[in-house]
Amino acid sequence: QSVLTQPPSASGTPGQSVTISCSGSSSNIGSHYSYWYQQFPGTAPKLLIYRNNQRPSGVTDRFSGSKSGTSASLAISGLRSEDEADYYCAAWDDSLSGRVFGGGTKLTVL
Amino acid sequence: EVQLMESGGALVQPGGSVRLSCEASGFTFSSYVMNWVRQAPGKGLEWVSYISSSSDTIHYADSVRGRFTISRDFANNSLYLQMNSLRAEDTAVYYCARDDALDVWGQGTMVTVSS
């Protein structure tokens, strides 16, 4: 059972927008930055969003992050087939003195 | 090019030990905190350990505390994870990752704990 809660799956058709949620608590998302990672099968994760809503250089602006209270969200606009991947949220947790991840959301582009 | 490269993964018997290495290049290694993150087959990401830029602050996940030791060697730009008393549930791909943001990842190294 992950400390951060994500839906196990999400889907959309090309061109649509999709939002993936990440629910935490006051000890993690509520008091620390949230992060999002994208992972394709057999490859290492890639940082998509840092500090709640910042995109690293090279990440398309179709990806955006937000945070409200103890929850974070990843929005993907203009869905494309190459967005089909697993997405993970993460944050530092004061109670555990460690970083925690969500269980991951498998995005399917129909 | 900023790069991290793990090595040391192996097939180990339960109760055994293994030492993972992560060689950093393309950036000032001593300026960044470093982490180990693992992923069991078919499962999600699990943070394992953190070490500050100066090695004075170290954190471990409850699942590995007392069995794993993180360290770093500034002369060789390397991060290490000494893994002792290994269990079947430690079987995973182990990644090293840079910074609080985990902004750079290695390709991973596989540790399999099985008799």
Side-chain angles (χ1 to χ4, degrees):
Chain A
Q1 198 78 336
S2 302
V3 174
L4 303 181
T5 301
Q6 297 179 236
S9 64
S11 63
T13 56
Q16 274 189 333
S17 294
V18 169
T19 298
I20 298 173
S21 62
C22 176
S23 177
S25 68
S26 58
S27 65
N28 43 65
I29 293 177
S31 51
H32 293 281
Y33 291 124
S34 59
Y35 300 82
W36 290 91
Y37 304 89
Q38 177 189 56
Q39 185 181 34
F40 297 105
T43 69
K46 170 190 170 183
L47 177 66
L48 268 187
I49 298 290
Y50 67 100
R51 293 189 179 184
N52 302 331
N53 55 18
Q54 302 299 302
R55 278 186 307 276
S57 172
V59 173
T60 173
D61 59 5
R62 295 189 301 105
F63 292 96
S64 62
S66 64
K67 176 182 131 172
S68 178
T70 59
S71 293
S73 295
L74 173 71
I76 310 171
S77 63
L79 208 56
R80 304 173 70 160
S81 58
E82 55 260 41
D83 297 332
E84 194 163 282
D86 293 323
Y87 293 85
Y88 295 90
C89 60
W92 184 264
D93 190 290
D94 288 329
S95 298
L96 298 174
S97 291
R99 176 169 294 269
V100 290
F101 284 96
T105 298
K106 183 175 183 62
L107 176 64
T108 301
V109 181
L110 302 169
Chain B
E1 181 190 1
V2 174
Q3 209 168 8
L4 296 172
M5 185 169 298
E6 302 94 340
S7 61
L11 170 62
V12 188
Q13 290 192 336
S17 298
V18 70
R19 187 197 198 204
L20 305 183
S21 299
C22 168
E23 185 175 348
S25 59
F27 64 98
T28 305
F29 180 66
S30 59
S31 296
Y32 288 87
V33 308
M34 297 295 296
N35 297 268
W36 286 99
V37 177
R38 69 184 181 183
Q39 187 169 36
K43 302 297 184 182
L45 301 173
E46 180 188 14
W47 171 80
V48 172
S49 186
Y50 160 106
I51 186 167
S52 64
S53 55
S54 59
S55 300
D56 59 354
T57 300
I58 286 174
H59 296 290
Y60 297 100
D62 288 344
S63 57
V64 307
R65 187 175 292 112
R67 300 187 298 122
F68 290 10
T69 302
I70 190 172
S71 62
R72 61 194 300 169
D73 178 350
F74 297 104
N76 291 305
N77 286 342
S78 291
L79 175 73
Y80 303 103
L81 186 67
Q82 177 66 43
M83 306 165 62
N84 299 330
S85 302
L86 283 164
R87 307 165 180 167
E89 53 265 36
D90 295 319
T91 294
V93 175
Y94 285 75
Y95 298 100
C96 59
R98 187 184 79 165
D99 196 53
D100 287 321
L102 307 181
D103 62 344
V104 178
W105 296 64
Q107 85 289 350
T109 188
M110 183 72 201
V111 174
T112 302
V113 183
S114 175
S115 54

